[in-house]
Amino acid sequence: MSLKGVVMQIGIATNLVRTTAATALVAAVFILPEVALAASDTGAAKGAFPPFDSKTYPGQLFWLAVSFGALYWLMSRVALPRIGGILADRAAALSRDLDEAAGAQAKAEASAKAYEQALAQAQSRAQGIAQTARETSAKQSDERRKTVEAELSAKASQAEASIAAAKAKAMESVRDLGAETAAAIVEKLTGKAPSAAEAAKAIDSALAR
Amino acid sequence: MAAGGGIDPIHQFEIKPIVGLKLFGLDLSFTNSALFMVLTVAVIALITLFGSRQRATVPGRLQSLAELSYEFVASTLTGVMGKEGMRFFPFVFSLFMFVLTANLLGMIPGSFTVTSHIVVTAAFAFLVIGVVLVYGIVKHGSHFFGLFVPKGAPGWLLPFMVLIEAVSFVSRPISLSLRLFGNMLAGHVALKVFGGFVVMLTGTIGVGIVLAPLPMLLAIALTAFEFLVAFLQAYVFTILTCVYLNDALHPGH
């Protein structure tokens, strides 16, 4: 037997079960009030307790089927798809907006990063410029100092040379003076003046000692 | 309603024809019950159809109510059945909204409570079980009857277990219909009885008028309680419907 056949047979069987069960329940629902009514039928004013009054059942079931059927149709065809659509649209709009916001934030962060990078670059460049400026000025002042020192030392050596010349000249005159004085002293002592060459020789030998 | 001095708590459940109608020898008159069924549908249609007509991204009050109902039922349903349970959503939503609205309309003084009649609640219960059976068998075939065979039961216990499962399955529509019917009926009877006490006590001269506020307070508390019951029973009916439908989706525990 094919599976479909089994399913159909079971379907028929359950249909049968369901129909029997439904019939039994309907019968119970219809009979119970009658029993209850019979039991309490000691001259009740208007008959059965209304929920158990089976005379009203067909009407209630009919109008329930009509109204609930209409409600189900309205809900499944019109209302629920529309409300579901509204909710889905809103969820989509929300996620779209969130995505946009995230994108904008990423962009803002990127530009902030770029700005920081540019700032750091500018800072390092400024440092470099300052460094070179410092170095050049140091070099310049160094050079100037060197030239000034050279000038000064030249001047100093010039002065030393002139001092040395002056000193030599002075020494010369001291020698001459010494020679004259020595000649004069010798003349006074001996009464006889030595020659200039002798005096100079004697002074030179005294100075060399 | 006081009828001839006495208070009849049953009077409110009486079904009175408004427009007579006979078809195939059956009395299908448009009654106060039918009127409130139609009103129920009208109120739901007002909320869901009129409320959603603008399709606003930022909802107004009525649209919020419609969306709230939608999401409440949807979350209840998916909580029990998962995403695939959404195929039953229109059915479960219609059921919940109908029962809830009918219960709440019944709270209006002088109105009629559709769900206080066993034939209505039984019709819903059998509709649910019918859907479970039809869907379960169409979808799963013989596998659906695995529902009656608990897994892991020892072999010698199996006939007994199957019997118990079958009885519990059959008792479902009965308990489902009786729970809603009993709650609505008893609540309205109790309200009417306590309201009747107030009327009777104030009617008597003397000590009664002093005692009248006591049942009045009780009636007020009961009214609040009945609003809770009106919602709770609709919710219980719906969640049990979801549980039973889940058996049709996933038979075999």
Side-chain angles (χ1 to χ4, degrees), chain A residues 20-151:
Chain A
T20 333
T23 320
L25 199 109
V26 169
V29 163
F30 275 71
I31 291 163
L32 268 176
E34 302 299 330
V35 176
L37 189 62
S40 67
D41 195 17
T42 49
K46 280 183 196 164
F49 179 52
F52 293 153
D53 182 2
S54 62
K55 282 199 293 293
T56 66
Y57 287 0
Q60 285 197 68
L61 287 176
F62 173 73
W63 286 106
L64 182 67
V66 169
S67 54
F68 190 72
L71 178 70
Y72 181 78
W73 188 84
L74 277 176
M75 293 301 110
S76 61
R77 290 294 159 91
V78 191
L80 295 180
R82 199 196 283 173
I83 299 172
I86 293 169
L87 293 174
D89 284 354
R90 182 175 311 147
L94 273 178
S95 69
R96 198 182 56 228
D97 288 359
L98 282 175
D99 284 353
E100 265 172 29
Q105 197 184 16
K107 229 190 278 179
E109 269 169 12
S111 66
K113 214 174 186 176
Y115 162 75
E116 267 168 23
Q117 227 164 19
L119 192 67
Q121 258 172 8
Q123 269 174 348
S124 71
R125 217 164 44 213
Q127 262 174 358
I129 289 168
Q131 184 76 25
T132 39
R134 244 195 329 269
E135 276 169 8
T136 4
S137 75
K139 218 194 258 163
Q140 275 174 352
S141 67
D142 219 34
E143 272 168 18
R144 216 163 38 227
R145 190 166 53 80
K146 266 179 192 159
T147 45
V148 168
E149 273 176 0
E151 269 171 33

Side-chain angles (χ1 to χ4, degrees), chain A residues 146-160:
Chain A
K146 266 179 192 159
T147 45
V148 168
E149 273 176 0
E151 269 171 33
L152 285 178
S153 67
K155 269 184 190 165
S157 60
Q158 232 173 18
E160 269 169 23

Side-chain angles (χ1 to χ4, degrees), chain A residues 14 25 60 63 82 90, chain B residues 15 28 49 57 67 126 145:
Chain A
T14 43
L25 199 109
Q60 285 197 68
W63 286 106
R82 199 196 283 173
R90 182 175 311 147
Chain B
I15 289 182
L28 303 182
L49 290 176
T57 309
E67 288 175 10
F126 279 96
F145 294 99

